[in-house]
Amino acid sequence: MKKILTLILLAGTLFSFAQNELPDDFLSSEFHQERRDLVREKMPANSVAIFFASPVRNRANDVDYVYHQDPNLYYLTGYKEPHAVLLIFKEEQDGPEGSYDEIFFIQPRNAMAEMWTGRRMGINGVKEKLAFNQVFNNTEFEDYNIDFSKFDKVLFYDFYNDVRDTNAEGDLYDLIASFKQKAGYPTEGDLTIESSANNLDMETLDQIMKDLRGIKTEEELNLLRKAVDISCIAQVEVMKAMKPGMSELEIQGLHEFIFKKYKAEYEGYPSIVGAGNNGCILHYIENYKPEISSDEMILMDLGAEYHGYTADVTRTIPVDGKFSPEEKAIYDLVYKAQDEAIKACKPGVNIQRDLDFAIARRIINEGLAELGIIDSASQRHLYYPHGLGHHIGLDVHDKGNYEYLEPGMAITIEPGIYIPKGAKCDEKWWGIAVRIEDDVLITEDGYELLSDIAPRKSEEIEKMMQEPSPLDEFVLPALDED
């Protein structure tokens, strides 16, 4: 494969570390500033845009889930802490400290809180590292004089999240409450929000963000490529390590261990590892089958998130390293549909019409009919129940436009066939589930397959599964079952 040198060198060259022991390849403050400028450029005249941080989510009792920043706020600031709100103004505003076109309210430094939950940037840190001029503690937002009524448009995302009121002054609950009061957000049951009588706009901002985030810059692609490479290396190493008798959780753990080995901070979405009939559940995340058998295939849909950018790669492989005739027939059919769709990727193409319906779905329907699984290529069925692809980036289903492909778009191509037990076909097909998902960059004259490190052809997978694995020597002591 053309990326074989990348595989050899990746472990030694993927990560560059700064003197403070943190990676130095995060998005730059210049990138975030440019993104804010582009938002401002697209905003209507005399408008203000408001972006809130993601809420902190409670897991149980006094334990919270690992915090993950709102992708829009991170895209525009690089700030990864909660309880913050960013305001971007179309035109310069006059204030007591001079003119400004953006204000950022962030959580304050707090020595006791930082001892428990980690260091905070504070005002000086945000100014120095994220290159903001107007930065204030979130406790100042309530009394900060902002007259939202003077703007023709107040752009924001409506509030669908349930946000807890903590004991901290200026938390996200307080920020939202203050904004609603300042902006005249209707109280519950007041439908004037849908009227032209106010200046609240909850639609324009999302289109602005789709236009921007759907086209990746080179700086973003550098991070996305790393996320994809890490995810593909994990697929390759799990192919080598796969053995009957493993559990779905063990296989999930091998993938995620490799993610962490390459310093990918998170999984981009809940990992999907479904053996046999479990693969027919599209978003199967229990991954709890204690022992996979040699006569099954296993569908592995996992993506590493590296510095905010997530890959989305799926491989389906035979547990014993050899496709049965039925498994190979279904696998090769999905591969053909995917391969033809990938080859057709280029600017101006419509994902649904030109790639999914004209190519992938047609090939799959014709193939299923030829195999006798459906009666005719025009028969409606649920063996391919999902769409062909989506944008990837800061979200696994990233913001972006779907009308026509454009250079700089990063998308998935992921046809699949799922035949659950009890399906209305010969039972020799039951429990066969195949999805092949790859990450594709649209270029000026075609496409680049980002995820080609991981084998896709059935013959290549079987060959890879015969390779020795460094994990073969990783044997843990047995637990006492008494």
Side-chain angles (χ1 to χ4, degrees):
M1 299 179 204
K2 69 179 183 180
K3 285 190 178 178
I4 193 67
L5 289 177
T6 304
L7 263 172
I8 296 172
L9 299 173
L10 188 58
T13 61
L14 187 55
F15 302 101
S16 173
F17 290 87
Q19 290 182 354
N20 63 0
E21 298 183 351
L22 291 175
D24 63 0
D25 58 342
F26 287 98
L27 294 171
S28 65
S29 61
E30 291 80 11
F31 169 86
H32 299 299
Q33 178 64 70
E34 179 192 49
R35 299 295 99 184
R36 297 196 299 275
D37 289 342
L38 288 172
V39 168
R40 187 176 295 107
E41 182 180 303
K42 291 176 176 291
M43 290 166 57
N46 192 32
S47 65
V48 55
I50 300 94
F51 297 88
F52 289 89
S54 284
V56 174
R57 291 301 188 196
N58 182 256
R59 183 178 184 270
N61 195 17
D62 58 352
V63 176
D64 294 327
Y65 285 102
V66 174
Y67 185 72
H68 196 282
Q69 186 58 276
D70 175 77
N72 281 331
L73 188 73
Y74 182 74
Y75 183 77
L76 297 172
T77 66
Y79 188 70
K80 296 188 285 185
E81 299 175 23
H83 308 302
V85 60
L86 170 69
L87 285 77
I88 299 177
F89 301 91
K90 176 69 173 183
E91 293 89 8
E92 291 277 339
Q93 307 293 306
D94 293 325
E97 299 183 21
S99 62
Y100 58 90
D101 56 13
E102 55 192 22
I103 313 177
F104 199 14
F105 294 87
I106 53 99
Q107 66 175 359
R109 297 294 306 272
N110 182 311
M112 181 62 70
E114 291 180 52
M115 182 174 69
W116 283 93
T117 59
R119 300 178 183 90
R120 299 179 179 184
M121 295 187 74
I123 290 175
N124 290 335
V126 170
K127 286 183 175 180
E128 293 170 8
K129 296 179 181 179
L130 303 183
F132 276 88
N133 294 318
Q134 295 282 331
V135 186
F136 302 92
N137 287 327
N138 54 21
T139 52
E140 301 178 71
F141 182 66
E142 181 178 4
D143 295 327
Y144 199 92
N145 184 23
I146 303 175
D147 181 8
F148 286 105
S149 66
K150 73 177 184 178
F151 297 102
D152 292 337
K153 292 288 183 181
V154 177
L155 314 177
F156 65 102
Y157 285 88
D158 204 1
F159 302 100
Y160 298 112
N161 285 322
D162 175 31
V163 178
R164 287 190 175 188
D165 188 4
T166 71
N167 293 326
E169 181 186 358
D171 64 6
L172 184 62
Y173 184 94
D174 292 343
L175 292 174
I176 292 174
S178 294
F179 167 73
K180 287 181 175 180
Q181 188 275 325
K182 292 173 183 287
Y185 186 92
T187 57
E188 185 175 355
D190 186 346
L191 301 181
T192 56
I193 197 166
E194 300 175 1
S195 166
S196 59
N198 61 57
N199 61 356
L200 305 181
D201 183 336
M202 292 167 287
E203 297 179 357
T204 300
L205 194 56
D206 191 53
Q207 188 55 57
I208 290 174
M209 298 312 295
K210 285 179 180 178
D211 291 343
L212 291 179
R213 284 176 53 187
I215 307 297
K216 304 301 187 287
T217 68
E218 281 302 314
E219 194 169 352
E220 291 178 280
L221 288 173
N222 287 338
L223 300 180
L224 186 58
R225 290 178 195 278
K226 290 178 181 178
V228 174
D229 283 350
I230 292 167
S231 304
C232 289
I233 291 171
Q235 292 281 1
V236 168
E237 292 306 319
V238 170
M239 287 179 191
K240 297 177 190 176
M242 182 68 65
K243 289 179 177 63
M246 286 180 163
S247 70
E248 291 174 343
L249 280 177
E250 181 180 1
I251 294 162
Q252 174 186 347
L254 292 179
H255 280 274
E256 294 176 5
F257 166 74
I258 293 168
F259 294 176
K260 302 300 185 187
K261 188 69 174 174
Y262 284 108
K263 309 298 188 300
E265 295 93 329
Y266 309 105
E267 302 81 53
Y269 51 93
S271 297
I272 299 168
V273 179
N277 200 55
N278 288 340
C280 295
I281 303 170
L282 301 183
H283 287 173
Y284 172 77
I285 59 174
E286 287 86 354
N287 305 339
Y288 209 66
K289 189 171 186 175
E291 188 171 323
I292 59 175
S293 64
S294 60
D295 61 350
E296 293 179 312
M297 286 197 296
I298 188 161
L299 187 156
M300 306 178 295
D301 184 343
L302 306 96
E305 181 184 314
Y306 184 78
H307 293 4
Y309 286 81
T310 182
D312 192 359
V313 179
T314 305
R315 291 293 182 265
T316 307
I317 66 176
V319 171
D320 65 357
K322 183 72 175 177
F323 289 96
S324 72
E326 289 78 19
E327 291 169 348
K328 182 172 172 56
I330 298 298
Y331 187 94
D332 287 350
L333 178 55
V334 175
Y335 173 82
K336 179 181 179 183
Q338 189 208 33
D339 197 51
E340 291 300 318
I342 290 174
K343 290 176 180 176
C345 286
K346 62 181 180 180
V349 165
N350 178 276
I351 294 180
Q352 185 179 51
R353 183 188 65 241
D354 300 328
L355 300 183
D356 192 1
F357 285 92
I359 298 176
R361 206 163 295 269
R362 173 184 57 78
I363 290 172
I364 285 176
N365 288 349
E366 290 173 354
L368 290 175
E370 186 176 334
L371 293 170
I373 296 172
I374 60 176
D375 295 331
S376 70
S378 61
Q379 180 183 334
R380 297 184 66 180
H381 60 83
L382 290 176
Y383 299 133
Y384 175 18
H386 56 74
L388 182 66
H390 54 80
H391 290 268
I392 55 172
L394 288 170
D395 283 305
V396 64
H397 296 155
D398 206 30
K399 289 190 178 298
N401 297 311
Y402 283 87
E403 187 63 27
Y404 296 105
L405 295 179
E406 300 177 47
M409 285 184 172
I411 63 170
T412 66
I413 299 294
E414 50 172 312
I417 295 175
Y418 315 86
I419 308 175
K421 292 180 179 178
K424 294 181 179 180
C425 62
D426 191 315
E427 65 180 83
K428 70 180 182 179
W429 304 108
W430 290 3
I432 294 179
V434 174
R435 179 162 67 251
I436 313 172
E437 181 175 19
D438 280 271
D439 300 337
V440 176
L441 172 66
I442 306 304
T443 62
E444 291 290 342
D445 56 359
Y447 71 93
E448 177 188 345
L449 183 57
L450 299 175
S451 49
D452 65 347
I453 288 176
R456 289 192 300 135
K457 292 182 179 179
S458 55
E459 297 82 4
E460 292 175 349
I461 289 173
E462 290 178 336
K463 183 178 180 181
M464 182 61 72
M465 293 184 73
Q466 303 307 310
E467 294 289 324
S469 168
L471 296 167
D472 290 341
E473 305 302 319
F474 184 60
V475 180
L476 297 174
L479 292 176
D480 186 353
E481 297 183 359
D482 294 336

